Amino acid sequence: MNNDKQDQNKPSSVQVISRAAKILRTLREYPRGLSLSQIAKEVSLARSTVQRIVTSLEQENFVTAASVNGGIRLGPEIAMLAAAVHIDLREEIRPFLIQLSNQVNETVDLSVLDNGKVLFVDQIIATHPLQATSQPGASFPLHCTANGKAILASLPIEEVEKLLPEHLKQYTDKTIANRDELLKELEVVRKEGIAFTREEHIQGICAVGAVVFDSMRTLSAISIPLPSTRFYGNEEKLAAALLETCQIINQHFDIKQ
């Protein structure tokens, strides 16, 4: 009986895991990192509790120091786990990504929809001295990225409306922050099968994106991000190469759109 009472007073292992997961999800929203006090405020836990959990997560490389001045951000183990989850997808599609990257001489990304964002799971990096890269495991917003728009356009409108917040965050002066305006653009993307972002997420970076399906009919997006100096004037060429690659992939897996 005494043992039962003692057990009831201890935080359950499930509760600890739940709290750790909440901290990790919070840090995903802040790639530059947060202080322990900021994390505690975000997850509504005592700072001492957060510190104990963060210490354990740091020992396992799930979180790491954001800078010499302090702060915590997601660690390298997260990227490795994200890559492992999508290992089959990467192995199936990677040869096509390499071929596309060689064809256009630009970096090519593979991403999936994850918790309301696009999660990068693979990347073929071009050899340009000036390039746009995002490490596998990183996540970007849906409404202002080419891969995000491509994924949104492929989903039922009801699901799109659930995924899009009422107020879209303005990242640059070119971000489409009006929800109705974005929905109109998604209609065009749905019709043409190709999405663009023109410096809408990061100033000076543009991209073209389209969706594909693997053998398990998992929806993913392929995108070609590049500096705006190499994008403008080459949009049609990049779009044509990407659409051709996506068509080849879908034919390879016998996917009928």
Side-chain angles (χ1 to χ4, degrees):
M1 193 71 174
N2 290 336
N3 288 338
D4 290 340
K5 289 182 179 180
Q6 288 176 359
D7 289 341
Q8 290 173 2
N9 292 330
K10 293 179 182 178
S12 70
S13 57
V14 173
Q15 186 181 43
V16 172
I17 292 172
S18 177
R19 289 173 172 178
K22 196 172 183 180
I23 290 172
L24 292 174
R25 290 193 186 100
T26 297
L27 290 175
R28 183 177 60 184
E29 302 298 321
Y30 297 90
R32 294 183 180 180
L34 294 173
S35 68
L36 290 174
S37 296
Q38 288 171 323
I39 296 172
K41 183 179 179 180
E42 289 286 332
V43 300
S44 302
L45 290 173
R47 187 182 184 280
S48 57
T49 301
V50 169
Q51 185 170 19
R52 287 196 300 271
I53 295 173
V54 165
T55 298
S56 297
L57 291 172
E58 192 170 18
Q59 291 172 351
E60 300 296 333
N61 288 323
F62 288 122
V63 299
T64 187
S67 68
V68 293
N69 298 323
I72 300 296
R73 63 177 175 82
L74 293 179
E77 191 66 24
I78 294 295
M80 294 175 67
L81 287 175
V85 169
H86 300 287
I87 187 68
D88 292 338
L89 175 64
R90 288 176 56 208
E91 287 182 351
E92 286 186 334
I93 296 183
R94 177 169 261 261
F96 302 99
L97 302 185
I98 294 172
Q99 185 176 4
L100 176 60
S101 179
N102 290 337
Q103 180 183 349
V104 299
N105 194 26
E106 295 292 351
T107 294
V108 174
D109 292 322
L110 177 67
S111 52
V112 296
L113 177 63
D114 179 70
N115 198 33
K117 292 195 173 185
V118 280
L119 175 70
F120 288 84
V121 296
D122 201 7
Q123 183 177 74
I124 308 300
I125 300 177
T127 56
H128 290 288
L130 181 63
Q131 54 187 303
T133 60
S134 301
Q135 290 186 343
S139 57
F140 282 175
L142 292 166
H143 71 283
C144 56
T145 55
N147 45 7
K149 290 180 187 178
I151 288 175
L152 284 173
S154 69
L155 298 173
I157 186 64
E158 298 81 9
E159 192 170 345
V160 173
E161 291 176 344
K162 289 179 182 178
L163 286 169
L164 289 178
E166 195 62 39
H167 301 287
L168 303 177
K169 184 174 179 179
Q170 185 94 36
Y171 286 88
T172 74
D173 59 356
K174 296 183 179 180
T175 304
I176 299 176
N178 182 286
R179 205 163 179 263
D180 291 335
E181 186 180 345
L182 177 64
L183 289 174
K184 288 181 181 178
E185 180 173 332
L186 293 179
E187 289 180 13
V188 177
V189 175
R190 193 174 294 112
K191 190 179 299 182
E192 298 181 354
I194 198 81
F196 295 95
T197 180
R198 297 175 171 88
E199 304 181 71
E200 297 165 43
H201 181 228
I202 301 173
Q203 197 72 38
I205 300 298
C206 300
V208 55
V211 296
V212 292
F213 295 85
D214 66 6
S215 59
M216 299 298 291
R217 291 201 63 85
T218 302
L219 173 67
S220 57
I222 297 176
S223 55
I224 306 173
L226 67 163
S228 57
T229 53
R230 294 201 304 270
F231 176 81
Y232 295 119
N234 291 311
E235 297 99 319
E236 290 186 11
K237 172 188 169 185
L238 293 167
L242 177 56
L243 285 173
E244 182 183 12
T245 296
C246 291
Q247 184 179 13
I248 292 171
I249 292 172
N250 289 328
Q251 287 175 346
H252 178 78
F253 295 120
D254 196 25
I255 301 297
K256 296 180 180 179
Q257 297 287 3

